[in-house]
PDB file of all heavy atoms in Angstrom:
ATOM      1  N   HIS A 682       0.864  -1.174   0.009  1.00  0.00           N
ATOM      2  CA  HIS A 682       0.006  -0.003   0.003  1.00  0.00           C
ATOM      3  C   HIS A 682       0.894   1.246  -0.007  1.00  0.00           C
ATOM      4  O   HIS A 682       1.899   1.296   0.700  1.00  0.00           O
ATOM      5  CB  HIS A 682      -0.898  -0.008   1.225  1.00  0.00           C
ATOM      6  CG  HIS A 682      -1.969   1.021   1.152  1.00  0.00           C
ATOM      7  ND1 HIS A 682      -1.743   2.362   1.400  1.00  0.00           N
ATOM      8  CD2 HIS A 682      -3.292   0.935   0.787  1.00  0.00           C
ATOM      9  CE1 HIS A 682      -2.863   3.042   1.212  1.00  0.00           C
ATOM     10  NE2 HIS A 682      -3.820   2.206   0.856  1.00  0.00           N
ATOM     11  N   PRO A 683       0.545   2.280  -0.780  1.00  0.00           N
ATOM     12  CA  PRO A 683       1.382   3.468  -0.894  1.00  0.00           C
ATOM     13  C   PRO A 683       1.758   4.081   0.460  1.00  0.00           C
ATOM     14  O   PRO A 683       2.857   4.588   0.624  1.00  0.00           O
ATOM     15  CB  PRO A 683       0.518   4.435  -1.717  1.00  0.00           C
ATOM     16  CG  PRO A 683      -0.339   3.542  -2.559  1.00  0.00           C
ATOM     17  CD  PRO A 683      -0.638   2.335  -1.687  1.00  0.00           C
ATOM     18  N   GLU A 684       0.853   4.014   1.435  1.00  0.00           N
ATOM     19  CA  GLU A 684       1.159   4.594   2.751  1.00  0.00           C
ATOM     20  C   GLU A 684       2.211   3.827   3.524  1.00  0.00           C
ATOM     21  O   GLU A 684       2.751   4.323   4.507  1.00  0.00           O
ATOM     22  CB  GLU A 684      -0.136   4.718   3.578  1.00  0.00           C
ATOM     23  CG  GLU A 684      -1.120   5.708   3.004  1.00  0.00           C
ATOM     24  CD  GLU A 684      -2.428   5.748   3.811  1.00  0.00           C
ATOM     25  OE1 GLU A 684      -2.481   5.178   4.922  1.00  0.00           O
ATOM     26  OE2 GLU A 684      -3.382   6.335   3.264  1.00  0.00           O
ATOM     27  N   TRP A 685       2.516   2.595   3.102  1.00  0.00           N
ATOM     28  CA  TRP A 685       3.438   1.729   3.822  1.00  0.00           C
ATOM     29  C   TRP A 685       4.724   1.476   3.043  1.00  0.00           C
ATOM     30  O   TRP A 685       5.591   0.728   3.512  1.00  0.00           O
ATOM     31  CB  TRP A 685       2.781   0.424   4.214  1.00  0.00           C
ATOM     32  CG  TRP A 685       1.870   0.659   5.393  1.00  0.00           C
ATOM     33  CD1 TRP A 685       0.529   0.950   5.361  1.00  0.00           C
ATOM     34  CD2 TRP A 685       2.271   0.685   6.746  1.00  0.00           C
ATOM     35  NE1 TRP A 685       0.085   1.162   6.619  1.00  0.00           N
ATOM     36  CE2 TRP A 685       1.124   0.977   7.501  1.00  0.00           C
ATOM     37  CE3 TRP A 685       3.475   0.476   7.402  1.00  0.00           C
ATOM     38  CZ2 TRP A 685       1.134   1.099   8.884  1.00  0.00           C
ATOM     39  CZ3 TRP A 685       3.501   0.563   8.758  1.00  0.00           C
ATOM     40  CH2 TRP A 685       2.350   0.883   9.502  1.00  0.00           C
ATOM     41  N   ARG A 686       4.858   2.046   1.876  1.00  0.00           N
ATOM     42  CA  ARG A 686       6.063   1.858   1.104  1.00  0.00           C
ATOM     43  C   ARG A 686       7.258   2.501   1.809  1.00  0.00           C
ATOM     44  O   ARG A 686       7.126   3.509   2.459  1.00  0.00           O
ATOM     45  CB  ARG A 686       5.924   2.433  -0.298  1.00  0.00           C
ATOM     46  CG  ARG A 686       4.898   1.632  -1.122  1.00  0.00           C
ATOM     47  CD  ARG A 686       4.747   2.169  -2.512  1.00  0.00           C
ATOM     48  NE  ARG A 686       3.660   1.453  -3.190  1.00  0.00           N
ATOM     49  CZ  ARG A 686       2.906   1.984  -4.102  1.00  0.00           C
ATOM     50  NH1 ARG A 686       3.088   3.210  -4.524  1.00  0.00           N
ATOM     51  NH2 ARG A 686       1.930   1.272  -4.636  1.00  0.00           N
ATOM     52  N   GLY A 687       8.430   1.891   1.641  1.00  0.00           N
ATOM     53  CA  GLY A 687       9.666   2.403   2.215  1.00  0.00           C
ATOM     54  C   GLY A 687       9.839   2.064   3.686  1.00  0.00           C
ATOM     55  O   GLY A 687      10.720   2.588   4.349  1.00  0.00           O
ATOM     56  N   ARG A 688       9.033   1.171   4.216  1.00  0.00           N
ATOM     57  CA  ARG A 688       9.128   0.805   5.647  1.00  0.00           C
ATOM     58  C   ARG A 688       9.504  -0.663   5.852  1.00  0.00           C
ATOM     59  O   ARG A 688       9.334  -1.191   6.937  1.00  0.00           O
ATOM     60  CB  ARG A 688       7.783   1.074   6.334  1.00  0.00           C
ATOM     61  CG  ARG A 688       7.375   2.551   6.314  1.00  0.00           C
ATOM     62  CD  ARG A 688       6.166   2.759   7.106  1.00  0.00           C
ATOM     63  NE  ARG A 688       5.529   4.014   6.816  1.00  0.00           N
ATOM     64  CZ  ARG A 688       4.547   4.525   7.533  1.00  0.00           C
ATOM     65  NH1 ARG A 688       4.085   3.857   8.593  1.00  0.00           N
ATOM     66  NH2 ARG A 688       3.996   5.675   7.226  1.00  0.00           N
ATOM     67  N   GLY A 689       9.955  -1.303   4.784  1.00  0.00           N
ATOM     68  CA  GLY A 689      10.432  -2.675   4.902  1.00  0.00           C
ATOM     69  C   GLY A 689       9.402  -3.758   4.637  1.00  0.00           C
ATOM     70  O   GLY A 689       9.721  -4.933   4.729  1.00  0.00           O
ATOM     71  N   VAL A 690       8.181  -3.376   4.311  1.00  0.00           N
ATOM     72  CA  VAL A 690       7.149  -4.369   4.042  1.00  0.00           C
ATOM     73  C   VAL A 690       7.479  -5.225   2.832  1.00  0.00           C
ATOM     74  O   VAL A 690       7.418  -6.453   2.899  1.00  0.00           O
ATOM     75  CB  VAL A 690       5.752  -3.687   3.865  1.00  0.00           C
ATOM     76  CG1 VAL A 690       4.710  -4.721   3.479  1.00  0.00           C
ATOM     77  CG2 VAL A 690       5.353  -2.948   5.124  1.00  0.00           C
ATOM     78  N   GLY A 691       7.863  -4.613   1.716  1.00  0.00           N
ATOM     79  CA  GLY A 691       8.198  -5.353   0.515  1.00  0.00           C
ATOM     80  C   GLY A 691       9.370  -6.274   0.735  1.00  0.00           C
ATOM     81  O   GLY A 691       9.382  -7.426   0.280  1.00  0.00           O
ATOM     82  N   THR A 692      10.365  -5.819   1.462  1.00  0.00           N
ATOM     83  CA  THR A 692      11.551  -6.642   1.724  1.00  0.00           C
ATOM     84  C   THR A 692      11.162  -7.852   2.597  1.00  0.00           C
ATOM     85  O   THR A 692      11.591  -8.974   2.354  1.00  0.00           O
ATOM     86  CB  THR A 692      12.645  -5.813   2.405  1.00  0.00           C
ATOM     87  OG1 THR A 692      13.008  -4.742   1.525  1.00  0.00           O
ATOM     88  CG2 THR A 692      13.873  -6.643   2.741  1.00  0.00           C
ATOM     89  N   ARG A 693      10.329  -7.614   3.600  1.00  0.00           N
ATOM     90  CA  ARG A 693       9.880  -8.736   4.432  1.00  0.00           C
ATOM     91  C   ARG A 693       9.073  -9.758   3.617  1.00  0.00           C
ATOM     92  O   ARG A 693       9.255 -10.969   3.770  1.00  0.00           O
ATOM     93  CB  ARG A 693       9.023  -8.255   5.608  1.00  0.00           C
ATOM     94  CG  ARG A 693       9.787  -7.653   6.747  1.00  0.00           C
ATOM     95  CD  ARG A 693      10.503  -8.695   7.620  1.00  0.00           C
ATOM     96  NE  ARG A 693       9.630  -9.676   8.186  1.00  0.00           N
ATOM     97  CZ  ARG A 693       8.925  -9.522   9.313  1.00  0.00           C
ATOM     98  NH1 ARG A 693       9.022  -8.413  10.003  1.00  0.00           N
ATOM     99  NH2 ARG A 693       8.134 -10.474   9.761  1.00  0.00           N
ATOM    100  N   LEU A 694       8.211  -9.271   2.720  1.00  0.00           N
ATOM    101  CA  LEU A 694       7.472 -10.176   1.844  1.00  0.00           C
ATOM    102  C   LEU A 694       8.419 -10.954   0.956  1.00  0.00           C
ATOM    103  O   LEU A 694       8.219 -12.186   0.777  1.00  0.00           O
ATOM    104  CB  LEU A 694       6.458  -9.397   1.018  1.00  0.00           C
ATOM    105  CG  LEU A 694       5.185  -8.971   1.723  1.00  0.00           C
ATOM    106  CD1 LEU A 694       4.503  -7.864   0.976  1.00  0.00           C
ATOM    107  CD2 LEU A 694       4.266 -10.164   1.931  1.00  0.00           C
ATOM    108  N   LEU A 695       9.399 -10.309   0.392  1.00  0.00           N
ATOM    109  CA  LEU A 695      10.379 -11.011  -0.460  1.00  0.00           C
ATOM    110  C   LEU A 695      11.129 -12.101   0.346  1.00  0.00           C
ATOM    111  O   LEU A 695      11.274 -13.227  -0.143  1.00  0.00           O
ATOM    112  CB  LEU A 695      11.382 -10.032  -1.052  1.00  0.00           C
ATOM    113  CG  LEU A 695      10.909  -9.273  -2.286  1.00  0.00           C
ATOM    114  CD1 LEU A 695      11.929  -8.184  -2.639  1.00  0.00           C
ATOM    115  CD2 LEU A 695      10.676 -10.203  -3.454  1.00  0.00           C
ATOM    116  N   HIS A 696      11.589 -11.766   1.526  1.00  0.00           N
ATOM    117  CA  HIS A 696      12.273 -12.763   2.377  1.00  0.00           C
ATOM    118  C   HIS A 696      11.362 -13.943   2.666  1.00  0.00           C
ATOM    119  O   HIS A 696      11.808 -15.093   2.589  1.00  0.00           O
ATOM    120  CB  HIS A 696      12.749 -12.130   3.705  1.00  0.00           C
ATOM    121  CG  HIS A 696      14.028 -11.376   3.608  1.00  0.00           C
ATOM    122  ND1 HIS A 696      15.244 -11.994   3.458  1.00  0.00           N
ATOM    123  CD2 HIS A 696      14.259 -10.058   3.612  1.00  0.00           C
ATOM    124  CE1 HIS A 696      16.195 -11.088   3.391  1.00  0.00           C
ATOM    125  NE2 HIS A 696      15.657  -9.897   3.490  1.00  0.00           N
ATOM    126  N   HIS A 697      10.123 -13.671   2.942  1.00  0.00           N
ATOM    127  CA  HIS A 697       9.181 -14.736   3.264  1.00  0.00           C
ATOM    128  C   HIS A 697       8.927 -15.617   2.025  1.00  0.00           C
ATOM    129  O   HIS A 697       8.924 -16.860   2.137  1.00  0.00           O
ATOM    130  CB  HIS A 697       7.856 -14.147   3.774  1.00  0.00           C
ATOM    131  CG  HIS A 697       6.982 -15.151   4.431  1.00  0.00           C
ATOM    132  ND1 HIS A 697       7.141 -15.537   5.743  1.00  0.00           N
ATOM    133  CD2 HIS A 697       5.968 -15.919   3.930  1.00  0.00           C
ATOM    134  CE1 HIS A 697       6.271 -16.456   6.057  1.00  0.00           C
ATOM    135  NE2 HIS A 697       5.542 -16.703   4.979  1.00  0.00           N
ATOM    136  N   ALA A 698       8.738 -15.014   0.860  1.00  0.00           N
ATOM    137  CA  ALA A 698       8.513 -15.753  -0.359  1.00  0.00           C
ATOM    138  C   ALA A 698       9.743 -16.590  -0.719  1.00  0.00           C
ATOM    139  O   ALA A 698       9.608 -17.756  -1.109  1.00  0.00           O
ATOM    140  CB  ALA A 698       8.160 -14.802  -1.499  1.00  0.00           C
ATOM    141  N   ILE A 699      10.921 -16.031  -0.560  1.00  0.00           N
ATOM    142  CA  ILE A 699      12.150 -16.761  -0.830  1.00  0.00           C
ATOM    143  C   ILE A 699      12.257 -17.950   0.131  1.00  0.00           C
ATOM    144  O   ILE A 699      12.582 -19.080  -0.297  1.00  0.00           O
ATOM    145  CB  ILE A 699      13.404 -15.860  -0.704  1.00  0.00           C
ATOM    146  CG1 ILE A 699      13.436 -14.816  -1.826  1.00  0.00           C
ATOM    147  CG2 ILE A 699      14.699 -16.669  -0.661  1.00  0.00           C
ATOM    148  CD1 ILE A 699      14.383 -13.664  -1.586  1.00  0.00           C
ATOM    149  N   GLY A 700      11.994 -17.727   1.408  1.00  0.00           N
ATOM    150  CA  GLY A 700      12.040 -18.814   2.384  1.00  0.00           C
ATOM    151  C   GLY A 700      11.043 -19.923   2.066  1.00  0.00           C
ATOM    152  O   GLY A 700      11.371 -21.130   2.199  1.00  0.00           O
ATOM    153  N   TYR A 701       9.868 -19.553   1.610  1.00  0.00           N
ATOM    154  CA  TYR A 701       8.879 -20.551   1.224  1.00  0.00           C
ATOM    155  C   TYR A 701       9.430 -21.408   0.087  1.00  0.00           C
ATOM    156  O   TYR A 701       9.364 -22.660   0.133  1.00  0.00           O
ATOM    157  CB  TYR A 701       7.578 -19.858   0.810  1.00  0.00           C
ATOM    158  CG  TYR A 701       6.581 -20.819   0.188  1.00  0.00           C
ATOM    159  CD1 TYR A 701       5.797 -21.657   1.006  1.00  0.00           C
ATOM    160  CD2 TYR A 701       6.436 -20.900  -1.202  1.00  0.00           C
ATOM    161  CE1 TYR A 701       4.906 -22.532   0.433  1.00  0.00           C
ATOM    162  CE2 TYR A 701       5.541 -21.790  -1.760  1.00  0.00           C
ATOM    163  CZ  TYR A 701       4.773 -22.610  -0.949  1.00  0.00           C
ATOM    164  OH  TYR A 701       3.887 -23.489  -1.514  1.00  0.00           O
ATOM    165  N   LEU A 702       9.927 -20.774  -0.986  1.00  0.00           N
ATOM    166  CA  LEU A 702      10.451 -21.526  -2.107  1.00  0.00           C
ATOM    167  C   LEU A 702      11.668 -22.379  -1.747  1.00  0.00           C
ATOM    168  O   LEU A 702      11.787 -23.531  -2.160  1.00  0.00           O
ATOM    169  CB  LEU A 702      10.781 -20.580  -3.267  1.00  0.00           C
ATOM    170  CG  LEU A 702       9.552 -19.901  -3.892  1.00  0.00           C
ATOM    171  CD1 LEU A 702       9.980 -18.779  -4.854  1.00  0.00           C
ATOM    172  CD2 LEU A 702       8.654 -20.906  -4.602  1.00  0.00           C
ATOM    173  N   GLU A 703      12.557 -21.844  -0.933  1.00  0.00           N
ATOM    174  CA  GLU A 703      13.727 -22.621  -0.483  1.00  0.00           C
ATOM    175  C   GLU A 703      13.315 -23.803   0.356  1.00  0.00           C
ATOM    176  O   GLU A 703      13.917 -24.881   0.246  1.00  0.00           O
ATOM    177  CB  GLU A 703      14.677 -21.731   0.284  1.00  0.00           C
ATOM    178  CG  GLU A 703      15.425 -20.729  -0.594  1.00  0.00           C
ATOM    179  CD  GLU A 703      16.352 -19.801   0.170  1.00  0.00           C
ATOM    180  OE1 GLU A 703      16.192 -19.653   1.408  1.00  0.00           O
ATOM    181  OE2 GLU A 703      17.216 -19.220  -0.442  1.00  0.00           O
ATOM    182  N   SER A 704      12.275 -23.670   1.173  1.00  0.00           N
ATOM    183  CA  SER A 704      11.829 -24.774   2.009  1.00  0.00           C
ATOM    184  C   SER A 704      11.240 -25.910   1.164  1.00  0.00           C
ATOM    185  O   SER A 704      11.065 -27.017   1.660  1.00  0.00           O
ATOM    186  CB  SER A 704      10.801 -24.311   3.044  1.00  0.00           C
ATOM    187  OG  SER A 704       9.545 -24.050   2.431  1.00  0.00           O
ATOM    188  N   ARG A 705      10.930 -25.636  -0.067  1.00  0.00           N
ATOM    189  CA  ARG A 705      10.414 -26.641  -0.996  1.00  0.00           C
ATOM    190  C   ARG A 705      11.511 -27.059  -2.015  1.00  0.00           C
ATOM    191  O   ARG A 705      11.211 -27.627  -3.029  1.00  0.00           O
ATOM    192  CB  ARG A 705       9.174 -26.138  -1.724  1.00  0.00           C
ATOM    193  CG  ARG A 705       7.968 -26.389  -0.816  1.00  0.00           C
ATOM    194  CD  ARG A 705       7.155 -25.151  -0.626  1.00  0.00           C
ATOM    195  NE  ARG A 705       6.060 -25.390   0.297  1.00  0.00           N
ATOM    196  CZ  ARG A 705       6.078 -25.016   1.595  1.00  0.00           C
ATOM    197  NH1 ARG A 705       7.150 -24.422   2.082  1.00  0.00           N
ATOM    198  NH2 ARG A 705       5.050 -25.236   2.392  1.00  0.00           N
ATOM    199  N   ASP A 706      12.743 -26.758  -1.665  1.00  0.00           N
ATOM    200  CA  ASP A 706      13.924 -27.164  -2.453  1.00  0.00           C
ATOM    201  C   ASP A 706      13.907 -26.678  -3.893  1.00  0.00           C
ATOM    202  O   ASP A 706      14.434 -27.315  -4.803  1.00  0.00           O
ATOM    203  CB  ASP A 706      14.062 -28.700  -2.437  1.00  0.00           C
ATOM    204  CG  ASP A 706      14.335 -29.218  -1.034  1.00  0.00           C
ATOM    205  OD1 ASP A 706      15.079 -28.550  -0.298  1.00  0.00           O
ATOM    206  OD2 ASP A 706      13.796 -30.275  -0.671  1.00  0.00           O
ATOM    207  N   VAL A 707      13.353 -25.476  -4.117  1.00  0.00           N
ATOM    208  CA  VAL A 707      13.380 -24.868  -5.433  1.00  0.00           C
ATOM    209  C   VAL A 707      14.817 -24.408  -5.719  1.00  0.00           C
ATOM    210  O   VAL A 707      15.422 -23.710  -4.906  1.00  0.00           O
ATOM    211  CB  VAL A 707      12.375 -23.705  -5.535  1.00  0.00           C
ATOM    212  CG1 VAL A 707      12.515 -22.987  -6.855  1.00  0.00           C
ATOM    213  CG2 VAL A 707      10.942 -24.253  -5.360  1.00  0.00           C
ATOM    214  N   ARG A 708      15.354 -24.834  -6.863  1.00  0.00           N
ATOM    215  CA  ARG A 708      16.755 -24.534  -7.167  1.00  0.00           C
ATOM    216  C   ARG A 708      17.012 -23.160  -7.717  1.00  0.00           C
ATOM    217  O   ARG A 708      18.117 -22.631  -7.560  1.00  0.00           O
ATOM    218  CB  ARG A 708      17.279 -25.601  -8.157  1.00  0.00           C
ATOM    219  CG  ARG A 708      17.341 -26.991  -7.515  1.00  0.00           C
ATOM    220  CD  ARG A 708      17.920 -27.974  -8.483  1.00  0.00           C
ATOM    221  NE  ARG A 708      16.970 -28.195  -9.546  1.00  0.00           N
ATOM    222  CZ  ARG A 708      16.873 -29.322 -10.254  1.00  0.00           C
ATOM    223  NH1 ARG A 708      17.704 -30.281 -10.038  1.00  0.00           N
ATOM    224  NH2 ARG A 708      15.968 -29.466 -11.179  1.00  0.00           N
ATOM    225  N   CYS A 709      16.076 -22.595  -8.443  1.00  0.00           N
ATOM    226  CA  CYS A 709      16.261 -21.295  -9.079  1.00  0.00           C
ATOM    227  C   CYS A 709      15.057 -20.411  -8.765  1.00  0.00           C
ATOM    228  O   CYS A 709      13.928 -20.836  -9.012  1.00  0.00           O
ATOM    229  CB  CYS A 709      16.448 -21.447 -10.579  1.00  0.00           C
ATOM    230  SG  CYS A 709      16.609 -19.905 -11.476  1.00  0.00           S
ATOM    231  N   ILE A 710      15.283 -19.240  -8.195  1.00  0.00           N
ATOM    232  CA  ILE A 710      14.176 -18.342  -7.840  1.00  0.00           C
ATOM    233  C   ILE A 710      14.319 -17.066  -8.663  1.00  0.00           C
ATOM    234  O   ILE A 710      15.361 -16.459  -8.721  1.00  0.00           O
ATOM    235  CB  ILE A 710      14.184 -18.002  -6.358  1.00  0.00           C
ATOM    236  CG1 ILE A 710      14.044 -19.292  -5.516  1.00  0.00           C
ATOM    237  CG2 ILE A 710      13.079 -16.996  -6.018  1.00  0.00           C
ATOM    238  CD1 ILE A 710      14.197 -19.085  -4.032  1.00  0.00           C
ATOM    239  N   LYS A 711      13.214 -16.701  -9.307  1.00  0.00           N
ATOM    240  CA  LYS A 711      13.136 -15.511 -10.141  1.00  0.00           C
ATOM    241  C   LYS A 711      11.967 -14.660  -9.633  1.00  0.00           C
ATOM    242  O   LYS A 711      11.152 -15.129  -8.835  1.00  0.00           O
ATOM    243  CB  LYS A 711      12.964 -15.859 -11.601  1.00  0.00           C
ATOM    244  CG  LYS A 711      14.176 -16.619 -12.163  1.00  0.00           C
ATOM    245  CD  LYS A 711      14.017 -16.912 -13.628  1.00  0.00           C
ATOM    246  CE  LYS A 711      15.269 -17.511 -14.188  1.00  0.00           C
ATOM    247  NZ  LYS A 711      16.208 -16.555 -14.683  1.00  0.00           N
ATOM    248  N   LEU A 712      11.893 -13.443 -10.132  1.00  0.00           N
ATOM    249  CA  LEU A 712      10.775 -12.606  -9.760  1.00  0.00           C
ATOM    250  C   LEU A 712      10.452 -11.618 -10.869  1.00  0.00           C
ATOM    251  O   LEU A 712      11.285 -11.276 -11.663  1.00  0.00           O
ATOM    252  CB  LEU A 712      11.024 -11.854  -8.444  1.00  0.00           C
ATOM    253  CG  LEU A 712      12.048 -10.747  -8.467  1.00  0.00           C
ATOM    254  CD1 LEU A 712      11.382  -9.434  -8.102  1.00  0.00           C
ATOM    255  CD2 LEU A 712      13.166 -11.052  -7.507  1.00  0.00           C
ATOM    256  N   ASP A 713       9.162 -11.235 -10.848  1.00  0.00           N
ATOM    257  CA  ASP A 713       8.708 -10.122 -11.686  1.00  0.00           C
ATOM    258  C   ASP A 713       8.720  -8.902 -10.800  1.00  0.00           C
ATOM    259  O   ASP A 713       8.217  -8.955  -9.677  1.00  0.00           O
ATOM    260  CB  ASP A 713       7.286 -10.360 -12.194  1.00  0.00           C
ATOM    261  CG  ASP A 713       7.221 -11.376 -13.312  1.00  0.00           C
ATOM    262  OD1 ASP A 713       8.174 -11.428 -14.081  1.00  0.00           O
ATOM    263  OD2 ASP A 713       6.198 -12.060 -13.423  1.00  0.00           O
ATOM    264  N   ALA A 714       9.289  -7.812 -11.287  1.00  0.00           N
ATOM    265  CA  ALA A 714       9.359  -6.633 -10.443  1.00  0.00           C
ATOM    266  C   ALA A 714       9.377  -5.376 -11.330  1.00  0.00           C
ATOM    267  O   ALA A 714       9.753  -5.457 -12.510  1.00  0.00           O
ATOM    268  CB  ALA A 714      10.607  -6.640  -9.547  1.00  0.00           C
ATOM    269  N   THR A 715       9.013  -4.288 -10.730  1.00  0.00           N
ATOM    270  CA  THR A 715       9.092  -3.004 -11.414  1.00  0.00           C
ATOM    271  C   THR A 715      10.312  -2.267 -10.901  1.00  0.00           C
ATOM    272  O   THR A 715      10.882  -2.655  -9.880  1.00  0.00           O
ATOM    273  CB  THR A 715       7.833  -2.140 -11.126  1.00  0.00           C
ATOM    274  OG1 THR A 715       7.809  -1.867  -9.749  1.00  0.00           O
ATOM    275  CG2 THR A 715       6.553  -2.879 -11.553  1.00  0.00           C
ATOM    276  N   PRO A 716      10.706  -1.176 -11.537  1.00  0.00           N
ATOM    277  CA  PRO A 716      11.859  -0.424 -11.023  1.00  0.00           C
ATOM    278  C   PRO A 716      11.646   0.065  -9.582  1.00  0.00           C
ATOM    279  O   PRO A 716      12.618   0.186  -8.854  1.00  0.00           O
ATOM    280  CB  PRO A 716      11.929   0.788 -11.990  1.00  0.00           C
ATOM    281  CG  PRO A 716      11.380   0.260 -13.287  1.00  0.00           C
ATOM    282  CD  PRO A 716      10.265  -0.692 -12.864  1.00  0.00           C
ATOM    283  N   MET A 717      10.400   0.241  -9.167  1.00  0.00           N
ATOM    284  CA  MET A 717      10.146   0.697  -7.805  1.00  0.00           C
ATOM    285  C   MET A 717      10.646  -0.319  -6.785  1.00  0.00           C
ATOM    286  O   MET A 717      11.116   0.051  -5.701  1.00  0.00           O
ATOM    287  CB  MET A 717       8.639   0.924  -7.582  1.00  0.00           C
ATOM    288  CG  MET A 717       8.329   1.478  -6.218  1.00  0.00           C
ATOM    289  SD  MET A 717       6.539   1.631  -5.868  1.00  0.00           S
ATOM    290  CE  MET A 717       5.996   2.646  -7.230  1.00  0.00           C
ATOM    291  N   GLY A 718      10.586  -1.622  -7.118  1.00  0.00           N
ATOM    292  CA  GLY A 718      11.014  -2.648  -6.198  1.00  0.00           C
ATOM    293  C   GLY A 718      12.498  -2.961  -6.220  1.00  0.00           C
ATOM    294  O   GLY A 718      12.991  -3.748  -5.436  1.00  0.00           O
TER     295      GLY A 718
END
């Protein structure tokens, strides 16, 4: 949400998503992102 950008929310979500994929032994992780991210 625009009011919460720049406060670490996106980074925490990325860490969580990465952890989820790693816990399922995914060998290669990619992402779709905009320049803002």
Side-chain angles (χ1 to χ4, degrees):
H682 192 281
E684 293 177 13
W685 284 92
R686 291 180 187 150
R688 299 186 196 190
V690 175
T692 300
R693 282 285 301 277
L694 282 162
L695 279 172
H696 278 287
H697 195 83
I699 292 165
Y701 171 80
L702 293 169
E703 287 178 342
S704 74
R705 276 127 185 102
D706 298 321
V707 173
R708 292 184 290 208
C709 177
I710 300 173
K711 296 183 174 270
L712 70 119
D713 284 328
T715 64
M717 185 185 303

